[in-house]
Amino acid sequence: MLLFTPGPTPTPEAIRVAMSVPTIHHRTPEFEEIFKAVREKLIRIMNMPEVLMLASSGTGAMEAAVTNLCKSHALTINAGKFGERFGKICKSFGIVYTELKYSWDTPAAVSDIVDVIKTNPSIDVLCIQICESAGGLRHNVEEIAKAVKDINKDIMIIADGITAVGVEKIDTAHIDVLITGSQKAFMLPPGLAMIGLSESAVLRIENSSKGFYFNLASELKNQRKNTTAYTAATTLIIGLKAMLEVIDNIGFDKFYDDAKNRAKAANTALEAIGLKIYPKTPSYAMSTVYNEHSKEIRAIAKKKYDVNIAGGQDELKDKLFRINNMGLIAPYEMAWVLNAVELSLDELGIRDYDGTANRVFVSKIFKGMQ
Ligand SMILES: *Cc1c(COP(=O)(O)O)cnc(C)c1O
């Protein structure tokens, strides 16, 4: 079965092998050396001056960012499930927040955010997804972050990059907190979250941190010494070291270029067989299709063609299907996924199979056709 869901993604064999070592104790020079190497590589790939690793899924890092950085009032952007989650986190901690809501196919407008910031001077953090995975939507976080900083540089920009880090090169010039998780572009099992921090975010955390398990000041103090406040997710960190070495050997630029070319070719192939790409600004992390028969297409692709693709969420559960494009993906695997979709359309009597999706994808990837 090909696992093609936008998280979790399949763990490559070399990484599984790297993790198949006896558990080592986290308070040892051996582990500290591994931790140090991962920290250094993460700082490079996240393009942030400081990073933290937390033993939790991505949501734990979202919670930690909000509780440690927000001192008065949060602005959250809800264009899907994950943006909605920032609001839910604020609510559960009694943090005052204003939510800007968009349809799941529509990116946040810079002008809307600027208006809210100008009318609410108490706002001190902006929480936004880089890619909102609910609809495969790319927000223009770089431009939004710059516009916010132009108004008030003390507003912390919390960017959920869980489906963006490791997919594309992110301009972090105006981002203060960059969040990611192990089970998306890094292709590891779930359970490790990573947070990149700007110098200003580090200062705010050191001056007034909150919480116990997710107290980022105590993590900063420990992780700068290559250890963690509590037991580290040692096996996942060993896996991350191996994965970051794989990406480093490929080269960041090539890794990102491959993802971009594959995403564009897959979307063109899907359109060529009459399917509609859902988001107005698609991210490279996944191909998201709106179709009334999404549920049936997924069921046939899984049962007959051994391809597991994701559906949508909430009201769009059976109306969307999402094909992962994060991590190391061989073109022949993506080609088979697209064939499976086209074959499913044939079986449903929607469109006769003629190999168009495969031809378009392969020609774009290997023959440089537009
Ligand atoms: C997967 C994901 C998360 C976090 O999910 P966890 O299940 O807690 O790891 C957060 N934001 C986005 C955009 C995601 O895709």
Side-chain angles (χ1 to χ4, degrees):
M1 181 74 68
L2 287 180
L3 178 60
F4 258 76
T5 55
T9 54
T11 305
E13 187 178 4
I15 311 302
R16 296 198 308 268
V17 169
M19 291 188 293
S20 67
V21 288
T23 302
I24 57 173
H25 197 279
H26 53 293
R27 310 276 181 218
T28 53
E30 296 93 292
F31 184 68
E32 284 167 17
E33 197 178 307
I34 294 168
F35 195 87
K36 179 167 187 275
V38 174
R39 255 174 77 72
E40 286 165 1
K41 280 195 191 298
L42 273 179
I43 284 175
R44 272 179 50 227
I45 200 165
M46 294 185 92
N47 195 20
M48 298 293 278
E50 186 57 86
V51 293
L52 295 174
M53 287 171 256
L54 302 173
S56 84
S57 85
T59 306
M62 292 169 72
E63 176 176 321
V66 171
T67 54
N68 283 267
L69 273 303
C70 184
K71 303 299 159 208
S72 56
H73 183 169
L75 170 59
T76 65
I77 308 303
N78 173 357
K81 272 296 248 203
F82 296 102
E84 178 189 49
R85 189 168 297 176
F86 271 129
K88 287 184 171 173
I89 291 169
C90 292
K91 199 170 172 192
S92 75
F93 283 95
I95 294 169
V96 177
Y97 72 103
T98 300
E99 181 182 76
L100 259 178
K101 220 170 163 179
Y102 293 90
S103 158
W104 289 16
D105 64 349
T106 306
V110 181
S111 55
D112 294 347
I113 291 171
V114 165
D115 286 349
V116 177
I117 299 269
K118 283 188 173 159
T119 48
N120 295 277
S122 57
I123 288 174
D124 63 346
V125 300
L126 166 72
C127 304
I128 187 168
Q129 275 53 47
I130 297 178
C131 164
E132 169 52 80
S133 317
L137 174 86
R138 178 66 158 86
H139 284 299
N140 191 348
V141 172
E142 296 84 346
E143 204 185 310
I144 290 168
K146 182 171 185 310
V148 170
K149 292 283 185 185
D150 282 347
I151 300 168
N152 178 357
K153 67 172 178 33
D154 293 331
I155 297 175
M156 293 283 124
I157 311 293
I158 299 177
D160 169 359
I162 298 182
T163 47
V165 174
V167 175
E168 55 174 309
K169 186 168 180 183
I170 299 158
D171 173 4
T172 52
H174 304 288
I175 292 176
D176 295 292
V177 182
L178 181 63
I179 298 166
T180 194
S182 55
Q183 80 276 26
K184 310 269 169 106
F186 292 143
M187 305 188 87
L188 292 164
L192 184 70
M194 291 138 263
I195 306 186
L197 298 170
S198 68
E199 309 279 5
S200 332
V202 167
L203 279 179
R204 192 178 292 187
I205 289 165
E206 284 176 337
N207 285 334
S208 56
S209 206
K210 275 230 182 81
F212 186 76
Y213 185 67
F214 287 135
N215 186 303
L216 298 185
S218 59
E219 287 300 343
L220 263 174
K221 197 165 140 254
N222 280 282
Q223 297 198 22
R224 282 174 161 158
K225 289 185 276 180
N226 301 312
T227 189
T228 46
Y230 312 104
T231 308
T234 49
T235 306
L236 289 170
I237 292 170
I238 288 169
L240 182 58
K241 179 167 179 282
M243 185 62 189
L244 292 173
E245 279 161 6
V246 169
I247 300 175
D248 222 355
N249 287 339
I250 296 169
F252 290 177
D253 289 344
K254 177 163 170 28
F255 189 63
Y256 297 144
D257 275 353
D258 285 352
K260 176 174 158 186
N261 294 335
R262 207 168 48 235
K264 288 185 163 179
N267 282 0
T268 310
L270 291 162
E271 285 174 329
I273 53 171
L275 294 171
K276 185 186 169 349
I277 300 299
Y278 175 70
K280 289 177 187 147
T281 50
S283 103
Y284 299 139
M286 65 198 78
S287 289
T288 307
V289 169
Y290 182 93
N291 190 283
E292 291 296 324
H293 302 281
S294 287
K295 192 179 173 190
E296 294 94 318
I297 293 168
R298 287 179 56 223
I300 297 169
K302 188 168 180 188
K303 189 155 176 266
K304 281 188 83 170
Y305 306 110
D306 286 328
V307 171
N308 186 357
I309 55 182
Q313 293 165 297
D314 289 355
E315 306 92 85
L316 292 171
K317 186 170 178 289
D318 297 332
K319 307 284 182 202
L320 294 185
F321 67 84
R322 296 175 298 154
I323 300 172
N324 174 54
N325 186 45
M326 292 176 280
L328 296 161
I329 298 177
Y332 61 81
E333 288 187 338
M334 184 62 93
W336 178 244
V337 174
L338 296 165
N339 266 300
V341 170
E342 188 177 340
L343 286 160
S344 308
L345 294 182
D346 181 276
E347 182 159 332
L348 288 165
I350 296 170
R351 184 186 180 281
D352 287 343
Y353 180 82
D354 62 4
T356 295
N358 182 66
R359 179 177 50 76
V360 170
F361 178 75
V362 171
S363 328
K364 273 188 80 89
I365 294 279
F366 294 104
K367 304 293 255 178
M369 289 178 184
Q370 287 313 300

